[in-house]
Amino acid sequence: MYFAKEVLDKCSNLRVQWEDEVRRLINKKGERKEAFTTVSNHEIKRLYTPEDIADLDFERDIGYPGQFPFTRGNQATGYRGRLWTYRMFSGMGTARDTNERWHMLLREGQTGLSTAFDFPTLMGYDTDSPKALGECGKCGVAIDTLEDFQILVDRIPLGEVTTSMTINPPATIMWAMYCACAQQQGVPLDQIGGTIQNDMLKEFIAQKTFMLPPEPSIKLISDTVEFGAKHVPRWNTISISGYHIREAGSTAVQELSFTLRDGMAYVEDVMERKGLHPDEFAPRLSFFFNSHIDFFEELCKMRAARRIWAKVMRERYGAKNERSWWMRFHTQTAGCSLTAQQPYNNVVRTALEALSAVMGGTQSLHTNSLDEVWCLPTDHAVQIALRTQQIIAEETGVANTLDPLAGSYFVEKLTNEMEEQAWEYIEKIDSMGGMLAAIDQGYPQMEIADAAYTFQQQLESGERVMVGVNKYVTEEAEECPILDIDEEVEQDQLRRLNEIKRTRDSKAVKRTLDDLRTACKKGDNVMPYCIEAVKAMVTEQEICDVYREVYGEYQDPGLF
Amino acid sequence: MNKGMVLARESENAEQVHNRTQQIVDRVQAGDVRTVSRLIRHIEDKNPKATEVIKALFPLTGQAHVIGLTGAPGAGKSTLSDALITNYRKQGKSVGVLAVDPTSPFTGGAILGDRVRMQKHAEDKDVFIRSLATRGALGGLSDAVDEAIHVLDAMGKDIILVETVGTGQSEVDIMNNAHSILLVLTPGMGDEVQTIKAGVMEIADLFVINKADQPGAGKLLNELTRALDMADSFSSGWRPPIVTVENLAQAESFLTKVDQVRVTIDEHYELLQNSDVLRQRERRKAEVQLNHALDSALVDSVVGYLRTNGQWQQILQVLADKTNDPYTLAEKIVSLVYTLDWEQRLESLNIADA
Amino acid sequence: MADKTLRILVAKPGLDGHDRGARILARAFRDAGFEVVYTGCHQTPEQIVNAAMQEDVDCVGLSCLSGAHKALFPKVVDLLKKQGADDIVVVGGGIIPKQDMPFLRERGVQEIFTPGTPLDDIISWVKKNVSPRDDL
């Protein structure tokens, strides 16, 4: 029992009086709304009291930071020992443009790098592919060859700074380029640190940057986990993501449960396919969550996430190393909560969402810029976003103490509820035969589509308010400066790509691609072959085309 | 901006209508996409102006091999269709596809999403894909499918795939439209036993167990085989084969299985052509079409008229108030519509010369 | 003869796979009585136009969040025109900065719906400005 019996009795007595008064006031004046719910439609009570968490067990459910199940954080000193990493997702135009933005961000106090690639790169196409028409450099950096990558990381000491790369189907290739660049800088692979997102399950579920069918996609992911475990031990080879699932319209609990279940699918695959024990790779699995606009729901989600993952790793997979039980995650504030109308309001939304993520104990954080509903961020907008994190860290005092909201009746109750509901989803997916089977049946996709439609209907009816959109609307459209990507970027990129294709050693290109193809067919780990290929100036698409050839292409099932 | 011709103007004489109709027929036979698709639209809208064209197209049909694909939602029909299209294209055949999805009974709208899985064929001139909504047709098939098949047939498509909603009993509808019928099943979609029920089982010429790498596939195969074993005989002498298709495996084995499906369908069609069964099916199809046409000509025209002149609502009110019954009213309407000597006049119908 | 049902094609040209909006729009149009042909994401302009022609749609709705709208939307309009189908109304939505809208309108995209536009507004606009094709 978490509370002494006398406390609960007292609580119960006082509650009766309060309820009488509530009834009186409601009869007289009513309340503002019929129901009070989070943005995920989770009902919230008027008041939370000791009675709500009477069944809590201090050691089992809350405990201390650095102690199983890590509800209060993975490390004993938390943010007092080390603040979260300011890691702003960025990329635009050419590698040179992005390199400049990166240096600016580092100068302004960013502590980790994060790469946004353009759509052709994300989908495994080169700039000269007909499919890439109009897309070059528009929402991220264009990378076709190792030469682009070398420019991207120009004067960035890869042995000292960690870099995250948001890349999925072609993750093996971008990572191969990063490794090749590190080697060229004289930094051994066991010294480099960073993350590749490399999470295909959420692509099938939500983001839809897919290329290969599920089975081979998972195989490539396991290749990277194995390669990382053996050769690049400081690298997080998967960033198991919920961010995109949420952006596609899911509820917070769906984001939580689908993400964790994806993680479990990866753990199981690596164990089975590569014969590795969880302790050999789990410490380098990382996660990526959304921080949406409902303040408490988000931070409770993150606390529940740590607790569930710790239990899953220890009890279900038998991990013994404490680091295997840790859930380490990056957070991004919710893009879908930002509005095109009155864009300066977005600074406020991002700040509150960032605060929630910090209260939830995130290891690293990206804050959206106010103009991202319209375009890639301008220098000024991205600076404000970065400053938001720095102000939270330096001025608000929330990082003075660890997990400050623990013990709140509301927070602990909501954390529990989210955990319970997440387990229900996890068990349901288990009963369907696992995540791959569930995806094949369209289950997570349909859950998300339904949740997205429900939200939209609530927004249209006014039941859900978005300030500036359906309430407090201003007649005059408010403008903010917009960043434009020059069409010249595409031409410039094409010129250099053609030049590389003309001057590179075509025998080496053929040889390395043949070796890669053979490795794929034999089921060998592709990473070493990728690294050799990128060094020979093989393009990203050329490698992806080999993958497509051997493994086939995925077709959108188009479920409604 | 309006392009092209109107189907028939009041003031036009028969010859002008005939010429215009002929032009449209020519365009259909030449494979003009816009004409074909617009014509199908008119058929869906039950536009009487399309009737002359449909009549003119009828004798030009009968070349295509019509294949029906049916099965529960989620069985993977569209993925199979997509693969079959690719396969038939490799054989040098042109393909038309009619993909039917349900109209919402509440809103009258529909999401026609089967195309998504077949979109890679969108740039192939010899593949024509048209989505249709059921528009309230009870049988699970749009009323327009019959005539749409004729249009694609006249267009010159060698193969016509008709993909249906697949909600169980409604599959029976497709019997009348297709030469070869594929029933697509998947393991673990519910009760294997339930799926294998009378009516649905009897119509299939080929069973495909899709996603056969999932648990329960073996069980389904056994139950299906047992059910077929227990059937007394097969009217056409063709015992429907069962092909299992694994989807999650390497691309190559999936394609091999799809090829097996296609070969089996071809074999079935050959059997049909070399036996009496095809003729039997054509007659059955003709019977259904004649019934539809008569319904349209006799019933729809009367009902349509009553609706537009306001009498329909009055009749409904009378029935709701129970001051009269539907049977009496129907008899009365019929007695007004038919001439007294209608039976004699019908006898004198010269069928060959109609 | 029944009131003509409007047919609309919802498509995502280019490589952007963010289809939350497109899917919601498809459902909303269905709920408003339309027949919605959905092509999925990763479509080339050619695929979209061929689908529009085969499906005899009255309106094409394009959604793009990757910034490639200036290249791709006009291409769809041009291809429709080339096939003699410029009576099909083309509209667009997604991440489209205000400064790009005059260009798109000039190139034949009749209306652009920015993020946050109520679904009812979009549907009303389409009902008002799109009529079913009538003739052969």
Side-chain angles (χ1 to χ4, degrees):
Chain A
M1 285 278 282
Y2 191 65
F3 292 103
K5 191 172 179 310
E6 310 90 73
V7 172
L8 291 174
D9 287 340
K10 195 77 186 170
C11 202
S12 175
N13 294 336
L14 293 175
R15 171 165 49 80
V16 175
Q17 290 173 37
W18 173 72
E19 280 173 348
D20 285 339
E21 179 61 8
V22 165
R23 253 192 301 274
R24 191 187 71 80
L25 285 172
I26 288 186
N27 282 338
K28 191 166 157 205
K29 305 195 266 196
E31 279 187 320
R32 286 185 296 115
K33 294 191 276 201
E34 281 302 310
F36 289 76
T37 57
T38 67
V39 75
S40 303
N41 253 352
H42 188 113
E43 179 130 17
I44 302 293
K45 293 188 342 173
R46 188 173 296 108
L47 187 72
Y48 290 81
T49 69
E51 288 184 298
D52 287 297
I53 53 171
D55 290 334
L56 226 56
D57 177 295
F58 177 75
E59 189 180 350
R60 182 194 69 193
D61 301 322
I62 306 184
Y64 273 75
Q67 289 179 14
F68 186 93
F70 310 102
T71 314
R72 302 196 74 179
N74 298 328
Q75 287 187 320
T77 54
Y79 290 142
R80 277 170 73 126
R82 201 173 87 97
L83 282 171
W84 66 91
T85 307
Y86 309 144
R87 197 182 286 284
M88 298 294 280
F89 183 49
S90 86
M92 56 211 264
T94 61
R96 176 60 57 201
D97 297 327
T98 305
N99 180 265
E100 275 169 27
R101 173 59 72 85
W102 280 11
H103 280 289
M104 182 275 266
L105 286 168
L106 288 170
R107 273 196 307 274
E108 295 296 336
Q110 171 159 281
T111 43
L113 293 170
S114 175
T115 325
F117 297 99
D118 71 2
F119 260 106
T121 310
L122 291 172
M123 295 291 290
Y125 295 108
D126 292 336
T127 307
D128 57 3
S129 161
K131 294 202 184 224
L133 179 67
E135 312 254 19
C136 175
K138 289 280 165 61
C139 59
V141 66
I143 300 284
D144 294 321
T145 65
L146 182 62
E147 188 189 272
D148 290 320
F149 214 95
Q150 286 160 344
I151 298 171
L152 179 65
V153 301
D154 182 34
R155 293 165 295 127
I156 308 266
L158 298 181
E160 288 163 40
V161 95
T162 57
T163 310
S164 175
M165 294 189 274
T166 298
I167 187 83
N168 293 282
T172 47
I173 305 158
M174 291 298 114
W175 195 29
M177 289 187 185
Y178 194 96
C179 292
C181 285
Q183 288 171 335
Q184 279 161 4
Q185 277 188 10
V187 180
L189 290 186
D190 59 11
Q191 299 276 302
I192 56 169
T195 307
I196 35 175
Q197 193 167 86
N198 197 24
D199 169 9
M200 283 309 299
L201 290 176
K202 67 100 171 34
E203 298 299 335
F204 297 117
I205 294 171
Q207 189 169 234
K208 319 283 170 85
T209 19
F210 36 62
M211 187 169 80
L212 310 173
E215 229 297 309
S217 301
I218 311 275
K219 186 265 175 192
L220 290 182
I221 293 169
S222 287
D223 279 359
T224 55
V225 173
E226 184 186 45
F227 190 79
K230 296 195 170 130
H231 306 288
V232 200
R234 293 183 55 211
W235 196 273
N236 303 309
T237 40
I238 320 178
S239 179
I240 304 157
S241 306
Y243 178 79
H244 319 80
I245 292 173
R246 194 66 184 278
E247 291 290 300
S250 82
T251 63
V253 169
Q254 288 166 349
E255 179 197 343
L256 175 59
S257 55
F258 294 165
T259 308
L260 293 178
R261 194 62 192 71
D262 284 348
M264 289 158 71
Y266 292 129
V267 168
E268 286 168 14
D269 191 80
V270 173
M271 285 172 70
E272 193 185 308
R273 192 190 298 268
K274 303 291 185 183
L276 295 178
H277 184 273
D279 290 331
E280 294 182 76
F281 64 91
R284 279 299 166 199
L285 296 173
S286 66
F287 289 80
F288 174 26
F289 287 112
N290 195 307
S291 187
H292 211 296
I293 195 67
D294 189 293
F295 186 78
F296 288 105
E297 186 173 54
E298 295 307 288
L299 67 97
C300 291
K301 174 187 79 187
M302 295 166 194
R303 297 171 92 246
R306 273 194 295 273
R307 203 153 75 193
I308 299 173
W309 189 250
K311 292 180 194 174
V312 159
M313 287 312 293
R314 191 176 79 170
E315 280 139 40
R316 188 150 157 161
Y317 299 116
K320 303 270 189 304
N321 182 344
E322 187 182 87
R323 283 171 171 260
S324 301
W325 306 333
W326 290 0
M327 159 172 283
R328 299 168 307 118
F329 62 95
H330 171 75
T331 307
Q332 175 167 339
T333 58
C336 62
S337 68
L338 304 184
T339 60
Q341 296 80 353
Q342 302 172 31
Y344 289 99
N345 295 343
N346 293 329
V347 175
V348 177
R349 293 189 175 98
T350 300
L352 296 169
E353 289 162 356
L355 184 63
S356 181
V358 167
M359 305 298 267
T362 190
Q363 271 66 44
S364 74
L365 180 61
H366 162 92
T367 31
N368 290 332
S369 302
L370 68 103
D371 50 4
E372 291 198 66
V373 188
W374 291 107
C375 58
L376 289 178
T378 58
D379 278 354
H380 189 210
V382 86
Q383 188 193 52
I384 294 174
L386 179 56
R387 294 283 179 261
T388 303
Q389 296 194 41
Q390 291 159 338
I391 291 169
I392 292 174
E394 308 281 357
E395 297 182 19
T396 65
V398 300
N400 287 345
T401 184
L402 279 59
D403 192 35
L405 294 179
S408 148
Y409 315 125
F410 174 37
V411 167
E412 296 301 351
K413 178 66 174 172
L414 187 55
T415 306
N416 286 355
E417 279 175 351
M418 293 187 78
E419 182 184 354
E420 263 165 47
Q421 291 178 2
W423 278 116
E424 277 169 28
Y425 269 115
I426 290 173
E427 277 152 27
K428 171 116 202 222
I429 293 170
D430 283 345
S431 75
M432 293 175 103
M435 206 25 143
L436 275 182
I439 289 173
D440 193 55
Q441 288 172 50
Y443 174 67
Q445 300 96 309
M446 289 310 292
E447 288 288 295
I448 294 169
D450 288 344
Y453 199 57
T454 303
F455 175 83
Q456 193 64 30
Q457 288 176 312
Q458 289 176 335
L459 192 64
E460 304 275 324
S461 72
E463 189 188 327
R464 184 81 46 212
V465 173
M466 276 179 96
V467 171
V469 175
N470 63 357
K471 198 169 174 183
Y472 310 117
V473 175
T474 45
E475 282 314 313
E476 280 293 307
E478 192 178 15
E479 311 266 320
C480 61
I482 304 283
L483 182 81
D484 201 37
I485 301 289
D486 204 325
E487 301 304 324
E488 253 307 290
V489 164
E490 191 163 336
Q491 299 312 312
D492 183 49
Q493 189 70 12
L494 284 170
R495 267 191 298 270
R496 290 188 311 103
L497 178 60
N498 286 336
E499 186 58 20
I500 289 169
K501 281 185 166 174
R502 199 178 61 78
T503 55
R504 63 186 178 173
D505 177 358
S506 48
K507 284 214 193 59
V509 167
K510 183 174 185 316
R511 183 176 43 82
T512 50
L513 279 177
D514 285 342
D515 289 345
L516 176 66
R517 191 180 294 108
T518 310
C520 288
K521 290 192 171 156
K522 277 167 60 188
D524 291 345
N525 192 313
V526 303
M527 282 309 299
Y529 300 93
C530 268
I531 295 177
E532 284 312 301
V534 303
K535 283 183 183 164
M537 288 298 159
V538 174
T539 70
E540 189 211 38
Q541 182 172 341
E542 283 164 345
I543 297 178
C544 288
D545 284 345
V546 168
Y547 288 156
R548 290 184 185 108
E549 186 198 310
V550 175
Y551 298 121
E553 280 186 78
Y554 182 71
Q555 286 255 269
D556 182 358
L559 302 153
F560 274 90
Chain B
M1 187 166 61
N2 258 330
K3 294 217 145 120
M5 334 179 304
V6 176
L7 275 170
R9 285 188 233 276
E10 301 304 335
S11 55
E12 274 185 332
N13 62 30
E15 191 188 337
Q16 284 172 313
V17 170
H18 173 81
N19 287 341
R20 198 180 304 286
T21 304
Q22 195 51 49
Q23 277 180 35
I24 296 171
V25 167
D26 290 342
R27 287 222 203 123
V28 168
Q29 289 194 296
D32 179 50
V33 170
R34 195 114 224 245
T35 305
V36 167
S37 194
R38 177 61 51 79
L39 181 57
I40 295 178
R41 184 90 179 273
H42 281 290
I43 293 168
E44 284 182 296
D45 290 341
K46 297 203 208 295
N47 189 331
K49 294 194 275 186
T51 315
E52 290 308 309
V53 181
I54 296 168
K55 286 186 196 169
L57 285 177
F58 191 79
L60 303 171
T61 63
Q63 286 76 254
H65 179 186
V66 182
I67 300 165
L69 266 102
T70 192
K77 296 186 290 297
S78 290
T79 314
L80 194 57
S81 294
D82 174 56
L84 280 172
I85 297 170
T86 310
N87 193 298
Y88 273 115
R89 291 296 296 126
K90 277 213 190 76
Q91 313 302 317
K93 302 273 174 77
S94 61
V95 183
V97 181
L98 296 170
V100 186
D101 273 310
T103 296
S104 159
F106 309 110
T107 68
I111 292 187
L112 309 174
D114 293 318
R115 242 205 129 88
V116 177
R117 276 148 280 180
M118 301 184 264
Q119 261 302 85
K120 70 166 171 290
H121 301 285
E123 292 186 64
D124 184 341
K125 280 191 307 65
D126 287 312
V127 177
F128 183 99
I129 300 170
R130 182 58 155 80
S131 312
L132 294 103
T134 53
R135 293 198 182 183
L138 289 174
L141 268 192
S142 161
D143 285 342
V145 169
D146 250 347
E147 286 154 14
I149 291 175
H150 289 158
V151 177
L152 295 184
D153 198 337
M155 192 189 185
K157 293 294 177 241
D158 300 313
I159 303 289
I160 299 174
L161 291 175
V162 182
E163 227 191 273
T164 73
V165 178
T167 47
Q169 276 310 117
S170 60
E171 271 91 84
V172 182
D173 228 5
I174 202 175
M175 249 170 85
N176 304 313
N177 287 299
H179 298 119
S180 309
I181 297 164
L182 264 73
L183 177 57
V184 184
L185 301 163
T186 38
M189 287 290 289
D191 325 347
E192 276 81 358
V193 177
Q194 280 286 42
T195 337
I196 300 168
K197 58 190 175 190
V200 172
M201 271 288 284
E202 282 161 18
I203 64 165
D205 299 306
L206 167 62
F207 293 93
V208 175
I209 296 182
N210 217 2
K211 311 187 193 184
D213 29 9
Q214 284 190 9
K219 179 160 174 262
L220 179 56
L221 177 60
N222 286 340
E223 291 188 358
L224 201 46
T225 310
R226 248 204 310 278
L228 287 171
D229 287 341
M230 290 202 300
D232 287 328
S233 63
F234 298 99
S235 57
S236 52
W238 165 276
R239 179 189 159 119
I242 307 171
V243 179
T244 58
V245 180
E246 294 81 20
N247 298 64
L248 293 185
Q250 291 259 330
E252 259 176 61
S253 57
F254 173 67
L255 293 177
T256 311
K257 282 302 175 83
V258 170
D259 199 58
Q260 197 184 336
V261 170
R262 195 260 314 156
V263 165
T264 312
I265 299 172
D266 284 350
E267 281 170 9
H268 179 252
Y269 192 52
E270 224 186 279
L271 166 84
L272 285 184
Q273 293 186 302
N274 295 335
S275 72
D276 201 37
V277 183
L278 184 62
R279 223 189 351 265
Q280 283 173 25
R281 289 205 175 176
E282 293 286 347
R283 286 180 79 89
R284 189 174 58 207
K285 181 172 168 169
E287 188 171 348
V288 172
Q289 287 183 309
L290 182 60
N291 277 323
H292 277 159
L294 280 170
D295 269 342
S296 220
L298 289 174
V299 178
D300 291 350
S301 52
V302 172
V303 170
Y305 188 78
L306 289 172
R307 277 184 193 271
T308 35
N309 75 358
Q311 286 173 299
W312 189 256
Q313 287 301 325
Q314 292 174 33
I315 293 169
L316 291 181
Q317 192 54 52
V318 161
L319 294 176
D321 293 340
K322 301 252 199 260
T323 47
N324 208 334
D325 72 83
Y327 315 102
T328 306
L329 276 167
E331 279 173 10
K332 186 72 188 180
I333 291 168
V334 163
S335 72
L336 291 170
V337 169
Y338 283 4
T339 61
L340 279 174
D341 60 349
W342 67 271
E343 279 152 315
Q344 276 165 284
R345 288 150 66 88
L346 196 52
E347 290 275 327
S348 70
L349 168 66
N350 186 344
I351 291 167
D353 238 347
Chain C
M1 201 175 71
D3 239 350
K4 286 206 215 274
T5 310
L6 281 175
R7 285 170 70 90
I8 181 168
L9 186 85
V10 173
K12 288 193 60 65
L15 297 174
D16 163 39
H18 295 97
D19 58 3
R20 172 178 179 174
R23 282 167 178 273
I24 285 176
L25 215 51
R27 280 204 198 191
F29 274 113
R30 176 202 55 201
D31 290 349
F34 286 71
E35 285 174 357
V36 185
V37 180
Y38 182 73
T39 61
C41 41
H42 313 139
Q43 300 293 297
T44 61
E46 289 78 10
Q47 283 175 305
I48 293 171
V49 169
N50 287 348
M53 301 290 296
Q54 290 175 15
E55 299 286 355
D56 195 40
V57 296
D58 306 305
C59 177
V60 170
L62 303 172
S63 159
C64 181
L65 281 75
S66 68
H69 50 273
K70 277 168 77 171
L72 298 174
F73 289 11
K75 194 126 193 268
V76 170
V77 174
D78 292 342
L79 283 173
L80 281 172
K81 189 166 178 178
K82 224 162 98 181
Q83 304 231 23
D86 52 348
D87 52 343
I88 298 181
V89 174
V90 179
V91 299
I95 302 223
I96 299 170
K98 291 224 173 63
Q99 63 229 41
D100 292 347
M101 293 187 199
F103 169 79
L104 291 174
R105 273 188 225 277
E106 195 200 316
R107 297 297 304 274
V109 182
Q110 284 194 31
E111 186 59 272
I112 315 275
F113 301 107
T114 46
T117 309
L119 292 173
D120 279 345
D121 287 3
I122 300 176
I123 292 169
S124 304
W125 189 96
V126 173
K127 280 188 171 164
K128 193 159 147 232
N129 291 281
V130 176
S131 49
R133 267 82 280 293
D134 202 33
D135 299 326
L136 269 183

